[in-house]
Amino acid sequence: MGDGGRRTGGGKIIYPRNFWTTTFDGESSKWGDWCFAFKRTIRSCSRDAFIVMEYVGKFATEPQEHILGGEGSGGPGAEDVARLSAELYDVLCQAVSGEAMSVVRSVEDCKGFVAWCQLYRKFNPKTAARAIRLIAEVCSPVR
């Protein structure tokens, strides 16, 4: 795995109190700035968590965490992915509110990388799912 943010011992790798980002409430216009700040902060805590976040952000469907790590993946091993995922979930719970919190809470088993992927797909204006949702909102406005 290298030294990509891994610390020896049983302590946490991603410390929520080290985060200086604002809380994301699900307002689409704030996504870009919040996403950039959040990823930058994660990267400073754990390069491996950042690598996996970037990787799952490219998924068209929900990632299967048990296959994310491993030899030749360029990132952490499967055991480290599980640990980082749990820590990322805790951090996301503290960094979001409103509609974004609903997305995070809908993820079963507190899988942080799955929650990140769902947030990314829902709020990133460059994803196909977001574009389709925006088109549907324009074609069928609320009365």
Side-chain angles (χ1 to χ4, degrees), residues 106-124:
S106 72
V107 174
E108 295 180 11
D109 298 328
C110 303
K111 295 179 178 176
F113 293 118
V114 172
W116 173 254
C117 183
Q118 289 185 3
L119 282 171
Y120 194 83
R121 283 193 339 224
K122 181 164 181 126
F123 296 107
N124 185 6

Side-chain angles (χ1 to χ4, degrees), residues 24-86:
F24 179 64
D25 61 2
E27 188 174 328
S28 297
S29 63
K30 296 179 183 176
W31 169 258
D33 290 339
W34 180 84
C35 179
F36 174 78
F38 187 80
K39 289 194 304 184
R40 178 186 50 84
T41 304
I42 288 288
R43 186 173 172 263
S44 70
C45 295
S46 170
R47 184 183 64 79
D48 288 330
F50 175 77
I51 288 170
V52 177
M53 284 174 62
E54 288 288 290
Y55 180 66
V56 300
K58 298 174 185 172
F59 279 50
T61 60
E62 183 177 296
Q64 300 298 315
E65 287 195 349
H66 66 278
I67 62 169
L68 288 176
E71 295 296 319
S73 67
E79 186 176 303
D80 293 321
V81 166
R83 182 175 176 197
L84 287 170
S85 180

Side-chain angles (χ1 to χ4, degrees), residues 92-104:
L92 283 171
C93 286
Q94 294 177 21
V96 299
S97 65
E99 186 179 356
M101 178 59 88
S102 296
V103 171
V104 172

